[in-house]
Amino acid sequence: MSGGSESAVSRETEAVNDDDFFPVPVDSFPSMDTPIGAAAHRASQVLHPSEANALPKPRERRVLTIANQKGGVGKTTTAVNLAAALAVQGLTVLVIDLDPQGNASTALGVPHHSGIASSYEILLGEVTAAEAVQQSPHSERLFCIPATIDLAGAEIELVSMVARENRLRNAVTKEALGDREYDYIIIDCPPSLGLLTVNALVAAKEVLIPIQCEYYALEGVGQLLRNIELVQSHLNPALHVSTVLLTMYDGRTKLADQVAAEVRQHFGDAVLRSVIPRSVKVSEAPGYGTTVLDYDPGSRGAMSYLDAGRELAARGLQDNQGNR
Ligand code: ATP
Ligand code: MG
């Protein structure tokens, strides 16, 4: 386990409000023993990525679907910030926005107005995945297939289509994605278990479930797991819940600790040790069309996603969870 993950765990017991933190010149805080020193160090890593802090590439490209039919648990926030965290640490990442709300596209700063080549057109087979990919202005290694409002009709349109559950998988083959080699593909799902989410589950090998550290955190998770099992037994035998991420953790409340303990008991080792704190900076970033790593690289929110990214990458190597 990386040192970064341990630091995330220790933060679980601290009050978490990153608004007290702000980027500072690294030279002012040469020691990484203090929280602000560590924050400054991380900010410098984000702003000046180097070979030294590059994450290892997975043996094969990893495809993760971020799913939880409960709304507002941090799926999109996790998709974009985890993707940015991996990209800033040297990996090439593609986010597929499969939610008609288009929030991931917004946060990554890519256009997603109606008529643009998007996840809707690739599901319909009208454009290739490579034609729909856009580079995020925030990183040369961060890419997005956006979602437009047209996707809202797709749940219904897909019903009558041939191979309706396999359309995304068939659309994001290596060949369809062109020459660029993606280390990670992260799929952001809508808050439902409809055909869009099923397509995402069929296209991936791994599921990442974000769980909000609030009341009713595990509500609906049983239903999600049953759907994952159904997809696994009928459509995608390799599918498994590789990762659970605790989001919007507020260390000032006992509730957050209780939820975290319950989730760890339920999911065991699948739960990342890194925890995402509730943070105003995280929630403000999409309003500026960016990720928290760009918006405030020294903040706790940015650090926690960097930690989560490192942990995810390290686990992929240990577990050999490479994907097609
Ligand atoms: P939906 O189900 O609608 O797609 P979602 O699961 O994708 O929602 P998000 O959109 O990522 O959830 O987050 C819901 C709200 O919570 C957003 O306003 C987001 O900015 C905020 N949020 C997410 N993570 C955090 C966090 N760590 N701290 C503070 N606010 C957060
Ligand atoms: Mg969302």
Side-chain angles (χ1 to χ4, degrees):
M1 199 56 64
S2 72
S5 304
E6 280 157 24
S7 68
V9 169
S10 68
R11 282 201 296 275
E12 278 190 53
T13 55
E14 296 172 20
V16 275
N17 182 352
D18 72 358
D19 302 333
D20 300 337
F21 290 82
F22 47 87
V24 289
V26 179
D27 292 342
S28 321
F29 296 95
S31 168
M32 289 203 322
D33 297 342
T34 61
I36 203 156
H41 178 72
R42 291 303 182 95
S44 85
Q45 282 190 334
V46 174
L47 296 171
H48 311 287
S50 69
E51 290 288 316
N53 58 37
L55 292 176
K57 285 181 183 290
R59 237 168 279 172
E60 298 175 285
R61 137 186 139 174
R62 289 175 74 183
V63 184
L64 289 104
T65 280
I66 304 205
N68 189 337
Q69 78 276 24
K70 200 160 146 55
V73 298
K75 291 182 290 294
T76 302
T77 304
T78 295
V80 300
N81 288 304
L82 206 50
L86 294 168
V88 87
Q89 295 179 98
L91 300 172
T92 303
V93 187
L94 171 66
V95 174
I96 302 179
D97 191 349
L98 215 57
D99 184 346
Q101 298 177 101
N103 296 152
S105 315
T106 303
L108 292 172
V110 301
H112 57 107
H113 50 81
S114 188
I116 208 164
S118 69
S119 51
Y120 175 72
E121 282 78 12
I122 70 168
L123 284 170
L124 264 57
E126 291 177 357
V127 301
T128 67
E131 287 168 329
V133 170
Q134 295 184 45
Q135 184 176 348
S136 168
H138 306 305
S139 165
E140 59 186 15
R141 288 185 293 272
L142 186 52
F143 299 85
C144 178
I145 293 180
T148 66
I149 193 64
D150 298 331
L151 195 59
E155 293 270 9
I156 295 167
E157 288 173 59
L158 282 170
V159 171
S160 57
M161 286 187 185
V162 178
R164 60 189 179 181
E165 295 95 353
N166 297 301
R167 299 193 73 91
L168 185 63
R169 171 160 66 185
N170 296 340
V172 294
T173 57
K174 284 204 164 149
E175 297 69 40
L177 277 165
D179 295 336
R180 195 178 295 114
E181 289 278 326
Y182 298 102
D183 300 309
Y184 281 76
I185 296 180
I186 296 178
I187 307 172
D188 184 33
C189 287
S192 79
L193 292 172
L195 266 175
L196 288 174
T197 298
V198 170
N199 263 274
L201 293 173
V202 173
K205 184 170 171 186
E206 300 179 52
V207 186
L208 186 158
I209 305 178
I211 295 188
Q212 187 183 356
C213 296
E214 295 286 352
Y215 282 116
Y216 310 125
L218 290 170
E219 189 189 54
V221 168
Q223 182 66 43
L224 172 62
L225 294 178
R226 279 191 290 281
N227 277 41
I228 291 169
E229 274 169 29
L230 278 174
V231 170
Q232 186 192 44
S233 51
H234 296 289
L235 297 161
N236 183 9
L239 187 68
H240 63 287
V241 179
S242 70
T243 313
V244 174
L245 181 62
L246 293 162
T247 64
M248 296 185 236
Y249 177 88
D250 186 343
R252 293 165 299 189
T253 67
K254 277 193 182 146
L255 174 67
D257 279 332
Q258 288 163 3
V259 171
E262 198 180 340
V263 170
R264 289 190 191 285
Q265 196 177 13
H266 197 275
F267 286 100
D269 288 346
V271 187
L272 291 188
R273 298 184 69 199
S274 310
V275 171
I276 309 304
R278 182 172 282 286
S279 143
V280 173
K281 297 286 161 103
V282 170
S283 60
E284 282 176 350
Y288 295 88
T290 190
T291 66
V292 72
L293 277 86
D294 254 352
Y295 181 61
D296 190 347
S299 67
R300 280 179 178 270
M303 289 197 298
S304 65
Y305 274 111
L306 281 170
D307 285 342
R310 298 193 79 84
E311 210 180 338
L312 185 74
R315 284 176 171 213
L317 294 181
Q318 283 161 12
D319 304 349
N320 193 20
Q321 286 172 334
N323 205 351
R324 52 182 156 254

